[in-house]
PDB file of all heavy atoms in Angstrom:
ATOM      1  N   HIS Q 281      12.441   1.565  -4.664  1.00 99.00           N
ATOM      2  CA  HIS Q 281      12.008   0.229  -5.105  1.00 99.00           C
ATOM      3  C   HIS Q 281      10.919  -0.181  -4.121  1.00 99.00           C
ATOM      4  O   HIS Q 281      11.206  -0.653  -3.016  1.00 99.00           O
ATOM      5  CB  HIS Q 281      13.198  -0.742  -5.070  1.00 99.00           C
ATOM      6  CG  HIS Q 281      12.783  -2.155  -5.349  1.00 99.00           C
ATOM      7  ND1 HIS Q 281      12.444  -2.594  -6.612  1.00 99.00           N
ATOM      8  CD2 HIS Q 281      12.621  -3.220  -4.525  1.00 99.00           C
ATOM      9  CE1 HIS Q 281      12.100  -3.859  -6.559  1.00 99.00           C
ATOM     10  NE2 HIS Q 281      12.191  -4.273  -5.296  1.00 99.00           N
ATOM     11  N   SER Q 282       9.671   0.084  -4.503  1.00 98.00           N
ATOM     12  CA  SER Q 282       8.574  -0.149  -3.556  1.00 98.00           C
ATOM     13  C   SER Q 282       7.358  -0.747  -4.248  1.00 98.00           C
ATOM     14  O   SER Q 282       6.271  -0.168  -4.215  1.00 98.00           O
ATOM     15  CB  SER Q 282       8.213   1.152  -2.846  1.00 98.00           C
ATOM     16  OG  SER Q 282       8.001   2.188  -3.788  1.00 98.00           O
ATOM     17  N   SER Q 285       4.423  -1.642  -1.216  1.00 98.00           N
ATOM     18  CA  SER Q 285       3.643  -0.564  -0.579  1.00 98.00           C
ATOM     19  C   SER Q 285       3.277   0.524  -1.580  1.00 98.00           C
ATOM     20  O   SER Q 285       2.343   1.288  -1.341  1.00 98.00           O
ATOM     21  CB  SER Q 285       4.458   0.082   0.553  1.00 98.00           C
ATOM     22  OG  SER Q 285       5.485   0.899   0.020  1.00 98.00           O
ATOM     23  N   LYS Q 286       4.033   0.616  -2.668  1.00 98.00           N
ATOM     24  CA  LYS Q 286       3.882   1.689  -3.677  1.00 98.00           C
ATOM     25  C   LYS Q 286       4.248   3.067  -3.114  1.00 98.00           C
ATOM     26  O   LYS Q 286       4.068   4.073  -3.788  1.00 98.00           O
ATOM     27  CB  LYS Q 286       2.458   1.769  -4.265  1.00 98.00           C
ATOM     28  CG  LYS Q 286       1.837   0.441  -4.611  1.00 98.00           C
ATOM     29  CD  LYS Q 286       2.194   0.020  -6.024  1.00 98.00           C
ATOM     30  CE  LYS Q 286       1.334  -1.129  -6.506  1.00 98.00           C
ATOM     31  NZ  LYS Q 286       2.085  -2.346  -6.744  1.00 98.00           N
ATOM     32  N   VAL Q 287       4.722   3.102  -1.890  1.00 98.00           N
ATOM     33  CA  VAL Q 287       5.107   4.373  -1.282  1.00 98.00           C
ATOM     34  C   VAL Q 287       6.553   4.681  -1.665  1.00 98.00           C
ATOM     35  O   VAL Q 287       7.412   3.807  -1.587  1.00 98.00           O
ATOM     36  CB  VAL Q 287       5.018   4.286   0.264  1.00 98.00           C
ATOM     37  CG1 VAL Q 287       5.629   5.516   0.915  1.00 98.00           C
ATOM     38  CG2 VAL Q 287       3.580   4.089   0.706  1.00 98.00           C
ATOM     39  N   LYS Q 288       6.795   5.907  -2.084  1.00 98.00           N
ATOM     40  CA  LYS Q 288       8.171   6.304  -2.403  1.00 98.00           C
ATOM     41  C   LYS Q 288       8.682   7.229  -1.298  1.00 98.00           C
ATOM     42  O   LYS Q 288       8.001   8.190  -0.931  1.00 98.00           O
ATOM     43  CB  LYS Q 288       8.225   7.048  -3.733  1.00 98.00           C
ATOM     44  CG  LYS Q 288       7.941   6.179  -4.961  1.00 98.00           C
ATOM     45  CD  LYS Q 288       7.965   7.043  -6.221  1.00 98.00           C
ATOM     46  CE  LYS Q 288       7.452   6.306  -7.428  1.00 98.00           C
ATOM     47  NZ  LYS Q 288       8.416   5.373  -7.998  1.00 98.00           N
ATOM     48  N   VAL Q 289       9.856   6.909  -0.793  1.00 98.00           N
ATOM     49  CA  VAL Q 289      10.486   7.748   0.228  1.00 98.00           C
ATOM     50  C   VAL Q 289      11.920   8.012  -0.220  1.00 98.00           C
ATOM     51  O   VAL Q 289      12.584   7.121  -0.763  1.00 98.00           O
ATOM     52  CB  VAL Q 289      10.503   7.068   1.621  1.00 98.00           C
ATOM     53  CG1 VAL Q 289      11.019   8.020   2.696  1.00 98.00           C
ATOM     54  CG2 VAL Q 289       9.119   6.540   2.009  1.00 98.00           C
ATOM     55  N   ALA Q 290      12.366   9.236  -0.004  1.00 99.00           N
ATOM     56  CA  ALA Q 290      13.763   9.571  -0.302  1.00 99.00           C
ATOM     57  C   ALA Q 290      14.339  10.338   0.875  1.00 99.00           C
ATOM     58  O   ALA Q 290      13.601  10.938   1.663  1.00 99.00           O
ATOM     59  CB  ALA Q 290      13.856  10.407  -1.570  1.00 99.00           C
ATOM     60  N   CYS Q 304      16.969   6.013  -1.104  1.00 99.00           N
ATOM     61  CA  CYS Q 304      15.523   5.790  -1.281  1.00 99.00           C
ATOM     62  C   CYS Q 304      15.165   4.490  -0.570  1.00 99.00           C
ATOM     63  O   CYS Q 304      16.060   3.704  -0.232  1.00 99.00           O
ATOM     64  CB  CYS Q 304      15.180   5.682  -2.764  1.00 99.00           C
ATOM     65  SG  CYS Q 304      16.092   4.372  -3.592  1.00 99.00           S
ATOM     66  N   ASN Q 305      13.878   4.281  -0.354  1.00 99.00           N
ATOM     67  CA  ASN Q 305      13.469   3.015   0.273  1.00 99.00           C
ATOM     68  C   ASN Q 305      13.638   1.873  -0.722  1.00 99.00           C
ATOM     69  O   ASN Q 305      13.370   2.021  -1.915  1.00 99.00           O
ATOM     70  CB  ASN Q 305      12.040   3.084   0.835  1.00 99.00           C
ATOM     71  CG  ASN Q 305      10.984   3.482  -0.169  1.00 99.00           C
ATOM     72  OD1 ASN Q 305      11.242   4.222  -1.108  1.00 99.00           O
ATOM     73  ND2 ASN Q 305       9.773   2.996   0.022  1.00 99.00           N
ATOM     74  N   ILE Q 306      14.082   0.741  -0.209  1.00 99.00           N
ATOM     75  CA  ILE Q 306      14.300  -0.446  -1.044  1.00 99.00           C
ATOM     76  C   ILE Q 306      13.586  -1.616  -0.376  1.00 99.00           C
ATOM     77  O   ILE Q 306      14.037  -2.132   0.650  1.00 99.00           O
ATOM     78  CB  ILE Q 306      15.812  -0.731  -1.218  1.00 99.00           C
ATOM     79  CG1 ILE Q 306      16.522   0.509  -1.797  1.00 99.00           C
ATOM     80  CG2 ILE Q 306      16.018  -1.958  -2.123  1.00 99.00           C
ATOM     81  CD1 ILE Q 306      18.041   0.386  -1.884  1.00 99.00           C
ATOM     82  N   GLU Q 307      12.435  -1.957  -0.959  1.00 98.00           N
ATOM     83  CA  GLU Q 307      11.624  -3.042  -0.365  1.00 98.00           C
ATOM     84  C   GLU Q 307      12.114  -4.396  -0.857  1.00 98.00           C
ATOM     85  O   GLU Q 307      12.881  -4.501  -1.807  1.00 98.00           O
ATOM     86  CB  GLU Q 307      10.146  -2.806  -0.701  1.00 98.00           C
ATOM     87  CG  GLU Q 307       9.641  -1.507  -0.083  1.00 98.00           C
ATOM     88  CD  GLU Q 307       8.149  -1.257  -0.284  1.00 98.00           C
ATOM     89  OE1 GLU Q 307       7.517  -1.942  -1.110  1.00 98.00           O
ATOM     90  OE2 GLU Q 307       7.642  -0.343   0.390  1.00 98.00           O
ATOM     91  N   ASN Q 308      11.628  -5.438  -0.167  1.00 98.00           N
ATOM     92  CA  ASN Q 308      12.044  -6.803  -0.477  1.00 98.00           C
ATOM     93  C   ASN Q 308      10.831  -7.722  -0.385  1.00 98.00           C
ATOM     94  O   ASN Q 308       9.981  -7.517   0.488  1.00 98.00           O
ATOM     95  CB  ASN Q 308      13.125  -7.235   0.525  1.00 98.00           C
ATOM     96  CG  ASN Q 308      13.795  -8.515   0.097  1.00 98.00           C
ATOM     97  OD1 ASN Q 308      13.297  -9.607   0.324  1.00 98.00           O
ATOM     98  ND2 ASN Q 308      14.929  -8.379  -0.555  1.00 98.00           N
ATOM     99  N   THR Q 314      13.233  -5.183   3.876  1.00 98.00           N
ATOM    100  CA  THR Q 314      13.056  -3.793   3.413  1.00 98.00           C
ATOM    101  C   THR Q 314      13.958  -2.851   4.202  1.00 98.00           C
ATOM    102  O   THR Q 314      14.123  -3.003   5.411  1.00 98.00           O
ATOM    103  CB  THR Q 314      11.577  -3.384   3.608  1.00 98.00           C
ATOM    104  OG1 THR Q 314      10.783  -4.171   2.709  1.00 98.00           O
ATOM    105  CG2 THR Q 314      11.349  -1.903   3.322  1.00 98.00           C
ATOM    106  N   ILE Q 315      14.517  -1.869   3.502  1.00 98.00           N
ATOM    107  CA  ILE Q 315      15.303  -0.834   4.204  1.00 98.00           C
ATOM    108  C   ILE Q 315      14.763   0.547   3.825  1.00 98.00           C
ATOM    109  O   ILE Q 315      14.444   0.803   2.668  1.00 98.00           O
ATOM    110  CB  ILE Q 315      16.823  -0.996   3.965  1.00 98.00           C
ATOM    111  CG1 ILE Q 315      17.610   0.111   4.680  1.00 98.00           C
ATOM    112  CG2 ILE Q 315      17.199  -1.060   2.511  1.00 98.00           C
ATOM    113  CD1 ILE Q 315      19.086  -0.183   4.852  1.00 98.00           C
ATOM    114  N   CYS Q 316      14.631   1.379   4.841  1.00 99.00           N
ATOM    115  CA  CYS Q 316      14.074   2.722   4.647  1.00 99.00           C
ATOM    116  C   CYS Q 316      15.102   3.640   3.985  1.00 99.00           C
ATOM    117  O   CYS Q 316      16.312   3.434   4.120  1.00 99.00           O
ATOM    118  CB  CYS Q 316      13.705   3.344   5.987  1.00 99.00           C
ATOM    119  SG  CYS Q 316      12.388   2.530   6.865  1.00 99.00           S
ATOM    120  N   ALA Q 317      14.569   4.685   3.363  1.00 99.00           N
ATOM    121  CA  ALA Q 317      15.394   5.671   2.666  1.00 99.00           C
ATOM    122  C   ALA Q 317      16.453   6.297   3.587  1.00 99.00           C
ATOM    123  O   ALA Q 317      17.605   6.490   3.187  1.00 99.00           O
ATOM    124  CB  ALA Q 317      14.493   6.768   2.115  1.00 99.00           C
ATOM    125  N   GLU Q 318      16.074   6.591   4.821  1.00 99.00           N
ATOM    126  CA  GLU Q 318      17.010   7.259   5.745  1.00 99.00           C
ATOM    127  C   GLU Q 318      18.222   6.376   6.005  1.00 99.00           C
ATOM    128  O   GLU Q 318      19.362   6.836   6.021  1.00 99.00           O
ATOM    129  CB  GLU Q 318      16.329   7.543   7.099  1.00 99.00           C
ATOM    130  CG  GLU Q 318      15.151   8.495   7.028  1.00 99.00           C
ATOM    131  CD  GLU Q 318      13.815   7.798   6.820  1.00 99.00           C
ATOM    132  OE1 GLU Q 318      13.737   6.851   5.994  1.00 99.00           O
ATOM    133  OE2 GLU Q 318      12.837   8.202   7.467  1.00 99.00           O
ATOM    134  N   ARG Q 319      17.959   5.082   6.224  1.00 99.00           N
ATOM    135  CA  ARG Q 319      19.086   4.199   6.539  1.00 99.00           C
ATOM    136  C   ARG Q 319      19.946   3.937   5.310  1.00 99.00           C
ATOM    137  O   ARG Q 319      21.152   3.724   5.428  1.00 99.00           O
ATOM    138  CB  ARG Q 319      18.587   2.906   7.182  1.00 99.00           C
ATOM    139  CG  ARG Q 319      18.283   3.123   8.664  1.00 99.00           C
ATOM    140  CD  ARG Q 319      17.703   1.907   9.313  1.00 99.00           C
ATOM    141  NE  ARG Q 319      16.344   1.667   8.871  1.00 99.00           N
ATOM    142  CZ  ARG Q 319      15.832   0.477   8.622  1.00 99.00           C
ATOM    143  NH1 ARG Q 319      16.582  -0.596   8.758  1.00 99.00           N
ATOM    144  NH2 ARG Q 319      14.569   0.359   8.254  1.00 99.00           N
ATOM    145  N   VAL Q 338      13.793  14.203   4.833  1.00 98.00           N
ATOM    146  CA  VAL Q 338      13.024  13.036   4.388  1.00 98.00           C
ATOM    147  C   VAL Q 338      11.872  13.537   3.525  1.00 98.00           C
ATOM    148  O   VAL Q 338      11.171  14.493   3.896  1.00 98.00           O
ATOM    149  CB  VAL Q 338      12.458  12.243   5.597  1.00 98.00           C
ATOM    150  CG1 VAL Q 338      11.772  10.969   5.123  1.00 98.00           C
ATOM    151  CG2 VAL Q 338      13.546  11.907   6.597  1.00 98.00           C
ATOM    152  N   LEU Q 339      11.711  12.902   2.376  1.00 98.00           N
ATOM    153  CA  LEU Q 339      10.656  13.290   1.425  1.00 98.00           C
ATOM    154  C   LEU Q 339       9.829  12.059   1.067  1.00 98.00           C
ATOM    155  O   LEU Q 339      10.412  10.999   0.797  1.00 98.00           O
ATOM    156  CB  LEU Q 339      11.332  13.851   0.159  1.00 98.00           C
ATOM    157  CG  LEU Q 339      10.490  14.041  -1.093  1.00 98.00           C
ATOM    158  CD1 LEU Q 339       9.457  15.153  -0.892  1.00 98.00           C
ATOM    159  CD2 LEU Q 339      11.392  14.391  -2.293  1.00 98.00           C
ATOM    160  N   THR Q 340       8.504  12.191   1.070  1.00 98.00           N
ATOM    161  CA  THR Q 340       7.672  11.076   0.568  1.00 98.00           C
ATOM    162  C   THR Q 340       6.774  11.603  -0.543  1.00 98.00           C
ATOM    163  O   THR Q 340       6.556  12.812  -0.665  1.00 98.00           O
ATOM    164  CB  THR Q 340       6.747  10.465   1.644  1.00 98.00           C
ATOM    165  OG1 THR Q 340       5.710  11.397   1.916  1.00 98.00           O
ATOM    166  CG2 THR Q 340       7.474  10.098   2.894  1.00 98.00           C
ATOM    167  N   TRP Q 346       5.502  12.652   6.169  1.00 97.00           N
ATOM    168  CA  TRP Q 346       5.800  11.461   6.989  1.00 97.00           C
ATOM    169  C   TRP Q 346       7.037  11.693   7.846  1.00 97.00           C
ATOM    170  O   TRP Q 346       8.071  12.143   7.348  1.00 97.00           O
ATOM    171  CB  TRP Q 346       6.063  10.250   6.091  1.00 97.00           C
ATOM    172  CG  TRP Q 346       4.844   9.564   5.573  1.00 97.00           C
ATOM    173  CD1 TRP Q 346       3.597  10.092   5.423  1.00 97.00           C
ATOM    174  CD2 TRP Q 346       4.776   8.212   5.098  1.00 97.00           C
ATOM    175  NE1 TRP Q 346       2.752   9.153   4.886  1.00 97.00           N
ATOM    176  CE2 TRP Q 346       3.451   7.998   4.675  1.00 97.00           C
ATOM    177  CE3 TRP Q 346       5.704   7.175   4.984  1.00 97.00           C
ATOM    178  CZ2 TRP Q 346       3.036   6.769   4.151  1.00 97.00           C
ATOM    179  CZ3 TRP Q 346       5.296   5.964   4.468  1.00 97.00           C
ATOM    180  CH2 TRP Q 346       3.962   5.757   4.065  1.00 97.00           C
ATOM    181  N   PRO Q 347       6.943  11.290   9.104  1.00 97.00           N
ATOM    182  CA  PRO Q 347       8.135  11.349   9.972  1.00 97.00           C
ATOM    183  C   PRO Q 347       8.967  10.071   9.823  1.00 97.00           C
ATOM    184  O   PRO Q 347       8.463   9.064   9.341  1.00 97.00           O
ATOM    185  CB  PRO Q 347       7.516  11.420  11.367  1.00 97.00           C
ATOM    186  CG  PRO Q 347       6.248  10.637  11.238  1.00 97.00           C
ATOM    187  CD  PRO Q 347       5.761  10.799   9.814  1.00 97.00           C
ATOM    188  N   PRO Q 348      10.223  10.095  10.214  1.00 98.00           N
ATOM    189  CA  PRO Q 348      11.042   8.877  10.147  1.00 98.00           C
ATOM    190  C   PRO Q 348      10.551   7.799  11.120  1.00 98.00           C
ATOM    191  O   PRO Q 348      10.069   8.124  12.213  1.00 98.00           O
ATOM    192  CB  PRO Q 348      12.437   9.346  10.581  1.00 98.00           C
ATOM    193  CG  PRO Q 348      12.389  10.806  10.725  1.00 98.00           C
ATOM    194  CD  PRO Q 348      10.970  11.242  10.743  1.00 98.00           C
ATOM    195  N   CYS Q 349      10.696   6.556  10.719  1.00 98.00           N
ATOM    196  CA  CYS Q 349      10.250   5.450  11.582  1.00 98.00           C
ATOM    197  C   CYS Q 349      11.205   5.296  12.770  1.00 98.00           C
ATOM    198  O   CYS Q 349      12.283   5.908  12.814  1.00 98.00           O
ATOM    199  CB  CYS Q 349      10.162   4.151  10.783  1.00 98.00           C
ATOM    200  SG  CYS Q 349      11.748   3.332  10.558  1.00 98.00           S
ATOM    201  N   GLY Q 350      10.813   4.492  13.713  1.00 98.00           N
ATOM    202  CA  GLY Q 350      11.580   4.316  14.952  1.00 98.00           C
ATOM    203  C   GLY Q 350      12.972   3.748  14.733  1.00 98.00           C
ATOM    204  O   GLY Q 350      13.937   4.186  15.375  1.00 98.00           O
ATOM    205  N   ILE Q 351      13.098   2.796  13.814  1.00 98.00           N
ATOM    206  CA  ILE Q 351      14.429   2.197  13.591  1.00 98.00           C
ATOM    207  C   ILE Q 351      15.364   3.250  13.000  1.00 98.00           C
ATOM    208  O   ILE Q 351      16.528   3.365  13.394  1.00 98.00           O
ATOM    209  CB  ILE Q 351      14.355   0.965  12.649  1.00 98.00           C
ATOM    210  CG1 ILE Q 351      13.411  -0.086  13.219  1.00 98.00           C
ATOM    211  CG2 ILE Q 351      15.740   0.367  12.412  1.00 98.00           C
ATOM    212  CD1 ILE Q 351      13.085  -1.222  12.252  1.00 98.00           C
ATOM    213  N   CYS Q 352      14.829   4.049  12.069  1.00 98.00           N
ATOM    214  CA  CYS Q 352      15.653   5.113  11.466  1.00 98.00           C
ATOM    215  C   CYS Q 352      16.032   6.159  12.510  1.00 98.00           C
ATOM    216  O   CYS Q 352      17.140   6.696  12.487  1.00 98.00           O
ATOM    217  CB  CYS Q 352      14.929   5.746  10.285  1.00 98.00           C
ATOM    218  SG  CYS Q 352      14.812   4.590   8.896  1.00 98.00           S
ATOM    219  N   ARG Q 353      15.149   6.458  13.436  1.00 98.00           N
ATOM    220  CA  ARG Q 353      15.486   7.417  14.497  1.00 98.00           C
ATOM    221  C   ARG Q 353      16.652   6.889  15.325  1.00 98.00           C
ATOM    222  O   ARG Q 353      17.547   7.632  15.712  1.00 98.00           O
ATOM    223  CB  ARG Q 353      14.274   7.678  15.402  1.00 98.00           C
ATOM    224  CG  ARG Q 353      13.168   8.402  14.673  1.00 98.00           C
ATOM    225  CD  ARG Q 353      11.947   8.622  15.538  1.00 98.00           C
ATOM    226  NE  ARG Q 353      10.807   8.890  14.672  1.00 98.00           N
ATOM    227  CZ  ARG Q 353       9.741   9.601  15.020  1.00 98.00           C
ATOM    228  NH1 ARG Q 353       9.643  10.112  16.239  1.00 98.00           N
ATOM    229  NH2 ARG Q 353       8.758   9.792  14.178  1.00 98.00           N
ATOM    230  N   MET Q 356      19.754   7.279  13.358  1.00 98.00           N
ATOM    231  CA  MET Q 356      20.146   8.700  13.385  1.00 98.00           C
ATOM    232  C   MET Q 356      20.846   9.040  14.704  1.00 98.00           C
ATOM    233  O   MET Q 356      21.795   9.826  14.733  1.00 98.00           O
ATOM    234  CB  MET Q 356      18.920   9.616  13.234  1.00 98.00           C
ATOM    235  CG  MET Q 356      18.370   9.673  11.836  1.00 98.00           C
ATOM    236  SD  MET Q 356      16.898  10.742  11.844  1.00 98.00           S
ATOM    237  CE  MET Q 356      16.188  10.312  10.279  1.00 98.00           C
TER     238      MET Q 356
HETATM  239  N1  THU J1125       9.744   4.053   4.887  1.00 56.05           N
HETATM  240  C1  THU J1125      10.903   4.770   4.782  1.00 56.05           C
HETATM  241  O1  THU J1125      11.622   4.676   3.767  1.00 56.05           O
HETATM  242  N2  THU J1125      11.252   5.572   5.822  1.00 56.05           N
HETATM  243  C2  THU J1125      10.543   5.718   6.957  1.00 56.05           C
HETATM  244  O2  THU J1125      11.016   6.343   7.904  1.00 56.05           O
HETATM  245  C3  THU J1125       9.194   5.156   7.037  1.00 56.05           C
HETATM  246  C4  THU J1125       8.876   4.098   6.050  1.00 56.05           C
HETATM  247  C5  THU J1125       9.365   3.154   3.785  1.00 56.05           C
HETATM  248  C6  THU J1125       9.511   1.695   4.116  1.00 56.05           C
HETATM  249  C7  THU J1125       8.517   1.069   3.159  1.00 56.05           C
HETATM  250  O3  THU J1125       9.156   0.850   1.932  1.00 56.05           O
HETATM  251  C8  THU J1125       7.461   2.144   2.964  1.00 56.05           C
HETATM  252  O4  THU J1125       8.016   3.352   3.437  1.00 56.05           O
HETATM  253  C9  THU J1125       6.151   1.862   3.705  1.00 56.05           C
HETATM  254  O5  THU J1125       6.366   1.663   5.055  1.00 56.05           O
END
Side-chain angles (χ1 to χ4, degrees):
H281 173 74
S282 51
S285 74
K286 317 272 193 245
V287 171
K288 291 178 190 282
V289 186
C304 57
N305 56 330
I306 304 174
E307 297 184 347
N308 192 278
T314 293
I315 179 163
C316 295
E318 297 91 317
R319 280 176 288 141
V338 185
L339 167 68
T340 72
W346 279 23
C349 81
I351 302 170
C352 291
R353 293 178 199 207
M356 285 178 195

